[in-house]
C-alpha cells in the first residue's frame, strides 16, 4: 500500500525513530542502513495498520447482549440501560478489552464516536496512551433525550446537557489532544438527529473550527433520520448538516445508508467522509449503503466495526470481506468493490477521513511506522498467489501476528506487550455480569442453557 500500489515480493522495511525510513525490495536495500533489531517476516504479508473509523469502545463490555431484535428495542431495552449504568471502571475495562481485540486483529488507529461522561474519559484516554494505540476519542455532545422523532426516549443514565457537554469537549481537548507522542486526538461526538437542536449543531461546528479539531456523528443510518430532518428542517440529513456548517474535512459521518446522490455531492465537494459499517447495517437491518456509487461521486469512504452489540466483533479484516460481498450481492455485479478497494478503505481512506493521510494509512518513507504482519503459512491461506485477495477474502483478524505502532512492537507472536490480556478478560467478565444485574437486563437465550 503505497502511492503506486506496489506489491513488493521479497520486500524490506526500515524503521527509524518510529518512522518508515526505507521500503524497497531487499535486493535494492542500502546495506549501510542495517538495523540493530530485525524481524524476519519471510513468507508473511506486511501491511499498513488498519484504521477503524467507527468504534464504540464502551460496547465491548456488552458484546452479544442485544441480538436479533428491532433497533428501538435494541437501544431501549438493552444498549441504553446497560450503557446508562456504566461507571468509569466499566468504561476503562471495556476500552481495554476493545483495544486488546483491535491490536490482536491488526487495527492500529481508531475513531471512537460517542464517549458519554459516565464512561470516564480520563481513564479511557489513559488506556489509549498505555495500550500504544493511536486513537481519536470523541466526547458526546447532546442537548435532548430523543432519537429521531421519538422524544424523551433515552435512558436517564445516558442523558447529558448541551452546556456541560460542550464545555467537556474543550476541557478534554486541552488535557489530551496530541498527548502520548501525538497518538491521542479529541473530537466532538455529536449525538444523532433528535438529540441536538439546530443551535447546538451550529455551536459544535464553531467549536470544532476554533479548536481545529474534527466532528463525528451517526447520519442517515436508518430511514427515520431522513423522515426526521425532512419534517423538522425541510432538508435531507446531509443538506441540513451542511446548512449548520458541519460538512467538511475531519468530519466523519457513520453509516450514511440512506444518503442520496445530491448529498454525496455535498460531502464530496466539502471533503467529509463516510464510515461504512456493513456488519452493523446488516445485523440491525438498517439497509445497504450505496458505497461504490458514493465513492464514484468522490466521497471518501472508510470502514468501521461499530460495536459489541451490533457487529459483534472489532475485526477489520472480517469487515473488509463483508463490505465487499455486500455490495456484490446488492449490485448483482461481482466486479464491484474488489479486494483492492476494501483494502484501501481499511487503510488509506480511513487515514484521509481522520486528516492523517500524511502520517499513516500506507507504507511509504516518512510515514509513521504503524505496520502489521500477517502469517500466511496456514491451510486457509494456501496457496497464495495474490496477497491482496487473501487479506480481503480469506484471512481473519487472528492471522495477524505482529502489530507495530509508532515504531513500537505492541504485539509480537500474538502476545500483546502493553496490556495484560488475562487480567482484562477476567475483569471484563466480572464487570459485565455486575453491569447486567445493576441494569436489570437479562439475556435470555432462546435455546435452553443446561
Ligand atoms: Zn455507531
Amino acid at each position: 500500500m503505497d502511492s503506486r500500489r506496489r506489491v513488493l515480493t521479497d520486500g524490506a522495511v526500515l524503521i527509524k525513530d518510529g518512522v518508515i525510513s526505507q521500503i524497497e525490495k531487499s535486493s535494492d536495500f542500502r546495506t549501510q542502513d542495517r538495523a540493530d533489531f530485525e524481524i524476519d517476516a519471510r513468507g508473511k504479508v506486511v501491511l499498513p495498520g488498519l484504521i477503524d473509523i467507527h468504534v464504540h469502545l464502551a460496547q465491548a463490555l456488552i458484546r452479544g447482549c442485544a441480538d436479533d431484535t428491532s433497533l428501538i428495542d435494541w437501544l431501549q431495552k438493552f444498549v441504553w440501560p446497560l450503557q446508562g449504568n456504566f461507571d468509569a471502571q466499566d468504561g476503562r475495562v471495556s476500552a481495554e478489552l476493545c483495544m486488546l481485540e483491535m491490536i490482536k486483529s491488526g487495527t492500529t488507529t481508531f475513531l471512537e464516536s460517542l464517549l458519554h461522561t459516565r464512561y470516564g474519559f480520563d481513564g479511557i484516554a489513559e488506556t489509549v496512551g498505555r495500550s500504544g494505540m493511536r486513537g481519536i476519542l470523541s466526547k458526546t455532545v447532546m442537548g435532548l433525550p430523543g432519537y429521531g422523532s421519538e422524544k424523551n426516549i433515552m435512558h436517564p443514565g445516558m442523558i447529558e446537557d448541551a452546556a456541560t457537554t460542550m464545555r467537556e469537549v474543550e476541557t478534554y481537548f486541552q488535557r489530551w489532544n496530541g498527548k502520548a507522542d501525538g497518538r491521542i486526538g479529541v473530537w466532538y461526538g455529536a449525538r444523532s438527529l433528535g438529540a441536538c437542536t439546530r443551535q447546538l449543531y451550529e455551536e459544535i461546528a464553531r467549536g470544532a473550527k476554533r479548536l481545529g479539531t474534527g466532528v463525528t456523528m451517526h447520519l442517515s443510518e436508518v430511514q427515520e433520520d431522513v423522515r426526521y430532518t425532512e419534517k423538522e428542517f425541510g432538508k435531507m440529513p446531509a443538506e441540513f448538516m451542511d446548512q449548520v456548517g458541519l460538512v467538511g474535512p475531519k468530519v466523519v459521518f457513520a453509516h450514511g445508508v440512506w444518503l442520496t446522490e445530491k448529498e454525496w455531492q455535498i460531502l464530496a465537494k466539502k471533503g467529509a467522509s463516510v464510515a461504512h459499517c456493513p456488519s452493523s447495517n446488516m445485523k440491525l437491518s438498517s439497509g445497504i449503503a450505496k458505497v461504490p456509487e458514493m465513492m464514484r461521486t468522490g466521497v471518501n469512504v472508510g470502514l468501521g466495526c461499530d460495536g459489541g452489540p451490533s457487529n459483534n466483533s472489532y475485526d477489520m479484516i472480517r469487515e473488509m470481506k463483508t463490505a465487499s460481498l455486500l455490495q456484490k450481492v446488492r449490485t448483482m455485479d461481482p466486479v464491484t468493490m474488489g479486494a483492492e478497494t476494501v483494502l484501501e478503505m481499511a487503510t488509506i481512506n480511513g487515514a484521509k477521513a481522520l486528516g492523517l493521510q500524511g502520517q499513516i494509512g500506507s507504507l511509504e518513507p516518512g510515514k509513521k511506522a504503524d505496520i502489521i504482519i500477517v502469517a500466511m503459512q496456514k491451510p486457509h491461506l494456501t496457496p497464495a498467489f495474490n496477497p491482496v485477495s487473501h487479506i480481503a477474502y480469506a484471512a481473519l483478524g487472528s492471522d495477524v501476528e505482529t502489530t507495530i505502532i509508532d515504531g513500537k512492537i505492541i504485539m509480537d507472536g500474538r502476545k500483546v506487550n502493553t496490556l495484560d490480556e488475562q487480567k482484562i478478560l477476567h475483569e471484563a467478565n466480572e464487570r459485565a455480569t455486575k453491569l447486567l444485574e445493576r441494569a436489570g437486563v437479562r439475556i435470555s437465550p432462546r435455546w435452553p442453557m443446561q
Side-chain angles (χ1 to χ4, degrees):
M1 181 60 66
D2 65 7
S3 59
R4 286 183 284 155
R5 301 294 186 267
R6 293 179 301 163
V7 178
L8 297 177
T9 56
D10 185 27
V13 188
L14 183 69
I15 300 171
K16 208 171 178 180
D17 302 325
V19 173
I20 297 170
S21 67
Q22 238 192 103
I23 173 160
E24 272 311 328
K25 281 185 92 68
S26 299
S27 48
D28 296 336
F29 233 63
R30 294 193 298 276
T31 45
Q32 69 267 31
D33 281 338
R34 283 208 79 86
D36 311 333
F37 178 75
E38 287 184 19
I39 300 174
D40 185 352
R42 259 177 291 196
K44 298 169 188 178
V45 172
V46 177
L47 286 169
L50 306 175
I51 300 174
D52 186 334
I53 60 170
H54 187 66
V55 174
H56 296 276
L57 293 172
Q59 290 186 353
L61 205 61
I62 58 170
R63 186 196 314 274
C65 289
D67 294 334
D68 313 324
T69 173
S70 76
L71 179 69
I72 291 296
D73 274 0
W74 185 86
L75 288 168
Q76 268 202 305
K77 290 191 182 158
F78 301 100
V79 174
W80 284 340
L82 287 167
Q83 297 202 289
N85 273 286
F86 257 60
D87 62 25
Q89 289 309 312
D90 298 324
R92 175 189 53 79
V93 173
S94 191
E96 286 176 341
L97 179 65
C98 191
M99 288 181 217
L100 199 51
E101 184 179 355
M102 288 194 277
I103 293 167
K104 294 195 83 169
S105 51
T107 295
T108 52
T109 298
F110 66 87
L111 170 61
E112 150 65 56
S113 78
L114 276 175
L115 285 181
H116 279 246
T117 309
R118 64 177 318 127
Y119 310 159
F121 195 99
D122 290 326
I124 292 173
E126 186 273 330
T127 301
V128 180
R130 196 158 34 87
S131 73
M133 287 194 82
R134 206 177 291 290
I136 294 176
L137 303 174
S138 308
K139 169 68 191 68
T140 299
V141 179
M142 66 178 287
L144 305 165
Y147 182 80
S149 51
E150 309 253 2
K151 312 255 187 244
N152 304 313
I153 73 162
M154 284 184 75
H155 185 274
M158 296 291 285
I159 300 171
E160 301 182 359
D161 74 87
T164 310
T165 51
M166 282 300 288
R167 206 171 46 240
E168 282 174 327
V169 176
E170 193 141 351
T171 305
Y172 294 132
F173 180 87
Q174 306 300 357
R175 194 176 298 162
W176 290 104
N177 190 67
K179 291 290 157 62
D181 303 321
R183 286 185 287 107
I184 300 176
V186 178
W187 281 21
Y188 286 82
R191 257 213 97 96
S192 323
L193 297 162
C196 298
T197 60
R198 174 194 291 268
Q199 289 71 24
L200 185 52
Y201 284 127
E202 285 168 348
E203 263 185 68
I204 293 169
R206 281 196 296 273
K209 203 167 172 195
R210 188 164 40 83
L211 298 178
T213 193
V215 182
T216 188
M217 76 177 275
H218 297 68
L219 192 77
S220 280
E221 176 177 1
V222 288
Q223 274 175 306
E224 173 60 21
D225 284 349
V226 181
R227 280 196 288 273
Y228 177 79
T229 49
E230 276 187 323
K231 187 168 146 277
E232 293 286 318
F233 311 112
K235 297 249 180 274
M236 294 297 283
E239 285 182 292
F240 170 67
M241 286 299 140
D242 190 30
Q243 202 180 37
V244 297
L246 271 177
V247 180
K250 287 214 277 187
V251 171
V252 176
F253 293 119
H255 305 293
V257 172
W258 295 99
L259 293 172
T260 57
E261 190 173 352
K262 194 174 164 201
E263 294 173 283
W264 306 334
Q265 282 162 358
I266 296 170
L267 303 194
K269 193 168 145 234
K270 299 279 178 83
S273 297
V274 168
H276 176 46
C277 309
S279 296
S280 171
N281 298 157
M282 289 163 81
K283 187 156 180 276
L284 293 172
S285 305
S286 308
I288 309 177
K290 296 190 173 71
V291 175
E293 292 92 327
M294 234 186 268
M295 292 202 289
R296 270 200 297 277
T297 313
V299 181
N300 178 53
V301 184
L303 281 182
C305 289
D306 208 352
S310 69
N311 185 311
N312 301 359
S313 77
Y314 297 85
D315 178 344
M316 283 285 283
I317 293 187
R318 277 208 262 188
E319 208 63 19
M320 282 192 253
K321 178 171 182 173
T322 308
S324 172
L325 300 194
L326 180 60
Q327 296 302 327
K328 289 180 191 301
V329 73
R330 178 183 71 84
T331 56
M332 297 289 285
D333 175 9
V335 177
T336 304
M337 290 265 283
E340 296 81 3
T341 304
V342 289
L343 185 56
E344 286 173 342
M345 289 169 76
T347 54
I348 191 68
N349 292 12
K352 273 184 211 155
L354 306 180
L356 296 174
Q357 67 273 29
Q359 297 176 42
I360 55 172
S362 62
L363 297 183
E364 293 176 272
K367 285 220 175 173
K368 294 199 182 286
D370 288 9
I371 298 172
I372 59 171
I373 304 174
V374 184
M376 297 293 277
Q377 304 279 14
K378 298 188 174 192
H380 65 281
L381 298 171
T382 303
F385 300 115
N386 178 358
V388 181
S389 157
H390 270 17
I391 295 299
Y393 299 134
L396 298 165
S398 51
D399 296 322
V400 177
E401 204 174 67
T402 305
T403 301
I404 299 170
I405 307 172
D406 237 10
K408 296 193 176 68
I409 300 172
I410 304 301
M411 179 178 76
D412 188 15
R414 298 217 36 84
K415 188 188 175 300
V416 177
N417 298 323
T418 51
L419 297 169
D420 185 338
E421 182 165 345
Q422 287 315 313
K423 184 165 168 266
I424 293 167
L425 299 187
H426 177 75
E427 217 182 331
N429 273 318
E430 282 206 328
R431 288 216 155 255
T433 307
K434 288 197 184 120
L435 176 67
L436 256 72
E437 276 170 22
R438 214 158 59 232
V441 170
R442 274 193 54 212
I443 310 299
S444 320
R446 280 173 294 274
W447 285 0
M449 299 266 287
Q450 289 174 341

